[in-house]
mmCIF file of all heavy atoms in Angstrom:
data_model
loop_
_atom_site.group_PDB
_atom_site.id
_atom_site.type_symbol
_atom_site.label_atom_id
_atom_site.label_comp_id
_atom_site.label_asym_id
_atom_site.label_seq_id
_atom_site.Cartn_x
_atom_site.Cartn_y
_atom_site.Cartn_z
ATOM 1 N N MET Y 97 -0.159 0.507 11.604
ATOM 2 C CA MET Y 97 -1.160 1.431 11.099
ATOM 3 C C MET Y 97 -1.564 1.080 9.672
ATOM 4 O O MET Y 97 -0.967 0.210 9.040
ATOM 5 C CB MET Y 97 -0.616 2.859 11.168
ATOM 6 C CG MET Y 97 -0.192 3.292 12.558
ATOM 7 S SD MET Y 97 0.640 4.909 12.609
ATOM 8 C CE MET Y 97 -0.688 5.984 12.053
ATOM 9 N N GLY Y 98 -2.584 1.759 9.185
ATOM 10 C CA GLY Y 98 -3.039 1.549 7.825
ATOM 11 C C GLY Y 98 -3.900 2.705 7.371
ATOM 12 O O GLY Y 98 -4.223 3.607 8.152
ATOM 13 N N VAL Y 99 -4.264 2.690 6.093
ATOM 14 C CA VAL Y 99 -5.136 3.713 5.510
ATOM 15 C C VAL Y 99 -6.313 3.007 4.856
ATOM 16 O O VAL Y 99 -6.123 2.130 4.010
ATOM 17 C CB VAL Y 99 -4.396 4.560 4.460
ATOM 18 C CG1 VAL Y 99 -5.343 5.577 3.833
ATOM 19 C CG2 VAL Y 99 -3.204 5.279 5.087
ATOM 20 N N TRP Y 100 -7.535 3.383 5.246
ATOM 21 C CA TRP Y 100 -8.744 2.820 4.654
ATOM 22 C C TRP Y 100 -9.572 3.944 4.073
ATOM 23 O O TRP Y 100 -9.985 4.862 4.777
ATOM 24 C CB TRP Y 100 -9.576 2.080 5.707
ATOM 25 C CG TRP Y 100 -8.893 0.894 6.322
ATOM 26 C CD1 TRP Y 100 -7.816 0.219 5.845
ATOM 27 C CD2 TRP Y 100 -9.258 0.238 7.548
ATOM 28 N NE1 TRP Y 100 -7.480 -0.812 6.687
ATOM 29 C CE2 TRP Y 100 -8.349 -0.828 7.747
ATOM 30 C CE3 TRP Y 100 -10.268 0.441 8.485
ATOM 31 C CZ2 TRP Y 100 -8.422 -1.673 8.844
ATOM 32 C CZ3 TRP Y 100 -10.349 -0.398 9.583
ATOM 33 C CH2 TRP Y 100 -9.437 -1.451 9.759
ATOM 34 N N ASN Y 101 -9.852 3.859 2.787
ATOM 35 C CA ASN Y 101 -10.632 4.894 2.113
ATOM 36 C C ASN Y 101 -11.893 4.343 1.452
ATOM 37 O O ASN Y 101 -12.932 4.998 1.449
ATOM 38 C CB ASN Y 101 -9.774 5.615 1.067
ATOM 39 C CG ASN Y 101 -10.510 6.739 0.368
ATOM 40 O OD1 ASN Y 101 -11.162 7.564 1.007
ATOM 41 N ND2 ASN Y 101 -10.416 6.796 -0.947
ATOM 42 N N THR Y 102 -11.819 3.125 0.923
ATOM 43 C CA THR Y 102 -12.949 2.552 0.196
ATOM 44 C C THR Y 102 -14.097 2.223 1.137
ATOM 45 O O THR Y 102 -13.884 1.677 2.229
ATOM 46 C CB THR Y 102 -12.512 1.286 -0.550
ATOM 47 O OG1 THR Y 102 -11.378 1.573 -1.359
ATOM 48 C CG2 THR Y 102 -13.627 0.762 -1.425
ATOM 49 N N GLU Y 103 -15.303 2.539 0.703
ATOM 50 C CA GLU Y 103 -16.462 2.349 1.583
ATOM 51 C C GLU Y 103 -17.694 1.975 0.770
ATOM 52 O O GLU Y 103 -17.818 2.341 -0.400
ATOM 53 C CB GLU Y 103 -16.737 3.632 2.374
ATOM 54 C CG GLU Y 103 -16.954 4.840 1.497
ATOM 55 C CD GLU Y 103 -16.824 6.157 2.242
ATOM 56 O OE1 GLU Y 103 -16.142 6.214 3.279
ATOM 57 O OE2 GLU Y 103 -17.427 7.133 1.767
ATOM 58 N N PRO Y 104 -18.623 1.236 1.373
ATOM 59 C CA PRO Y 104 -19.874 0.916 0.685
ATOM 60 C C PRO Y 104 -20.822 2.107 0.746
ATOM 61 O O PRO Y 104 -20.704 2.979 1.602
ATOM 62 C CB PRO Y 104 -20.420 -0.262 1.497
ATOM 63 C CG PRO Y 104 -19.918 -0.008 2.887
ATOM 64 C CD PRO Y 104 -18.558 0.608 2.712
ATOM 65 N N SER Y 105 -21.781 2.120 -0.172
ATOM 66 C CA SER Y 105 -22.799 3.167 -0.170
ATOM 67 C C SER Y 105 -23.642 3.050 1.109
ATOM 68 O O SER Y 105 -23.897 1.936 1.582
ATOM 69 C CB SER Y 105 -23.692 3.008 -1.403
ATOM 70 O OG SER Y 105 -24.671 4.008 -1.458
ATOM 71 N N PRO Y 106 -24.044 4.163 1.718
ATOM 72 C CA PRO Y 106 -24.018 5.554 1.242
ATOM 73 C C PRO Y 106 -22.764 6.319 1.646
ATOM 74 O O PRO Y 106 -22.733 7.543 1.539
ATOM 75 C CB PRO Y 106 -25.250 6.150 1.939
ATOM 76 C CG PRO Y 106 -25.317 5.430 3.242
ATOM 77 C CD PRO Y 106 -24.861 4.025 2.953
ATOM 78 N N GLY Y 107 -21.746 5.639 2.106
ATOM 79 C CA GLY Y 107 -20.530 6.328 2.508
ATOM 80 C C GLY Y 107 -20.436 6.498 4.010
ATOM 81 O O GLY Y 107 -21.340 6.161 4.761
ATOM 82 N N MET Y 108 -19.317 7.047 4.423
ATOM 83 C CA MET Y 108 -19.040 7.208 5.845
ATOM 84 C C MET Y 108 -19.058 8.680 6.224
ATOM 85 O O MET Y 108 -18.590 9.533 5.476
ATOM 86 C CB MET Y 108 -17.677 6.601 6.170
ATOM 87 C CG MET Y 108 -17.413 6.481 7.646
ATOM 88 S SD MET Y 108 -16.048 5.352 7.935
ATOM 89 C CE MET Y 108 -15.866 5.593 9.687
ATOM 90 N N THR Y 109 -19.621 8.969 7.383
ATOM 91 C CA THR Y 109 -19.726 10.352 7.835
ATOM 92 C C THR Y 109 -19.131 10.513 9.220
ATOM 93 O O THR Y 109 -19.007 9.555 9.988
ATOM 94 C CB THR Y 109 -21.193 10.815 7.875
ATOM 95 O OG1 THR Y 109 -21.931 9.986 8.805
ATOM 96 C CG2 THR Y 109 -21.828 10.735 6.500
ATOM 97 N N VAL Y 110 -18.771 11.746 9.527
ATOM 98 C CA VAL Y 110 -18.320 12.103 10.867
ATOM 99 C C VAL Y 110 -19.126 13.315 11.320
ATOM 100 O O VAL Y 110 -19.262 14.296 10.591
ATOM 101 C CB VAL Y 110 -16.803 12.412 10.910
ATOM 102 C CG1 VAL Y 110 -16.422 13.511 9.912
ATOM 103 C CG2 VAL Y 110 -16.364 12.785 12.327
ATOM 104 N N THR Y 111 -19.690 13.222 12.505
ATOM 105 C CA THR Y 111 -20.423 14.328 13.106
ATOM 106 C C THR Y 111 -19.518 14.987 14.124
ATOM 107 O O THR Y 111 -19.185 14.393 15.154
ATOM 108 C CB THR Y 111 -21.711 13.841 13.788
ATOM 109 O OG1 THR Y 111 -22.521 13.166 12.822
ATOM 110 C CG2 THR Y 111 -22.485 15.008 14.368
ATOM 111 N N ARG Y 112 -19.075 16.175 13.793
ATOM 112 C CA ARG Y 112 -18.159 16.878 14.688
ATOM 113 C C ARG Y 112 -18.889 17.410 15.911
ATOM 114 O O ARG Y 112 -20.114 17.534 15.916
ATOM 115 C CB ARG Y 112 -17.503 18.062 13.963
ATOM 116 C CG ARG Y 112 -16.679 17.704 12.741
ATOM 117 C CD ARG Y 112 -16.298 18.966 11.999
ATOM 118 N NE ARG Y 112 -15.573 18.696 10.772
ATOM 119 C CZ ARG Y 112 -14.267 18.879 10.632
ATOM 120 N NH1 ARG Y 112 -13.547 19.315 11.645
ATOM 121 N NH2 ARG Y 112 -13.671 18.635 9.482
ATOM 122 N N SER Y 113 -18.154 17.742 16.926
ATOM 123 C CA SER Y 113 -18.729 18.363 18.115
ATOM 124 C C SER Y 113 -19.441 19.643 17.710
ATOM 125 O O SER Y 113 -18.882 20.490 17.022
ATOM 126 C CB SER Y 113 -17.643 18.684 19.144
ATOM 127 O OG SER Y 113 -16.994 17.501 19.572
ATOM 128 N N GLY Y 114 -20.687 19.768 18.125
ATOM 129 C CA GLY Y 114 -21.458 20.950 17.775
ATOM 130 C C GLY Y 114 -22.340 20.741 16.567
ATOM 131 O O GLY Y 114 -23.295 21.482 16.358
ATOM 132 N N ASP Y 115 -22.062 19.687 15.748
ATOM 133 C CA ASP Y 115 -22.888 19.415 14.582
ATOM 134 C C ASP Y 115 -24.038 18.474 14.915
ATOM 135 O O ASP Y 115 -25.017 18.394 14.192
ATOM 136 C CB ASP Y 115 -22.049 18.775 13.468
ATOM 137 C CG ASP Y 115 -21.047 19.762 12.882
ATOM 138 O OD1 ASP Y 115 -21.273 20.969 13.034
ATOM 139 O OD2 ASP Y 115 -20.055 19.307 12.298
ATOM 140 N N GLY Y 116 -23.901 17.726 16.004
ATOM 141 C CA GLY Y 116 -24.896 16.729 16.345
ATOM 142 C C GLY Y 116 -25.508 16.998 17.698
ATOM 143 O O GLY Y 116 -25.449 18.111 18.223
ATOM 144 N N PRO Y 117 -26.115 15.967 18.305
ATOM 145 C CA PRO Y 117 -26.753 16.148 19.610
ATOM 146 C C PRO Y 117 -25.732 16.444 20.694
ATOM 147 O O PRO Y 117 -24.569 16.075 20.593
ATOM 148 C CB PRO Y 117 -27.441 14.792 19.844
ATOM 149 C CG PRO Y 117 -26.651 13.818 19.017
ATOM 150 C CD PRO Y 117 -26.221 14.593 17.808
ATOM 151 N N VAL Y 118 -26.173 17.130 21.740
ATOM 152 C CA VAL Y 118 -25.308 17.450 22.860
ATOM 153 C C VAL Y 118 -25.826 16.753 24.098
ATOM 154 O O VAL Y 118 -26.969 16.297 24.157
ATOM 155 C CB VAL Y 118 -25.244 18.980 23.098
ATOM 156 C CG1 VAL Y 118 -24.643 19.687 21.917
ATOM 157 C CG2 VAL Y 118 -26.638 19.522 23.391
ATOM 158 N N LEU Y 119 -24.976 16.662 25.075
ATOM 159 C CA LEU Y 119 -25.328 16.033 26.342
ATOM 160 C C LEU Y 119 -25.622 17.121 27.355
ATOM 161 O O LEU Y 119 -24.720 17.857 27.762
ATOM 162 C CB LEU Y 119 -24.179 15.137 26.822
ATOM 163 C CG LEU Y 119 -23.720 14.055 25.831
ATOM 164 C CD1 LEU Y 119 -22.547 13.288 26.417
ATOM 165 C CD2 LEU Y 119 -24.863 13.130 25.485
#
Side-chain angles (χ1 to χ4, degrees):
M97 303 173 64
V99 178
W100 297 342
N101 182 47
T102 307
E103 57 197 25
S105 181
M108 191 164 173
T109 61
V110 56
T111 302
R112 300 170 183 255
S113 298
D115 291 339
V118 297
L119 304 178

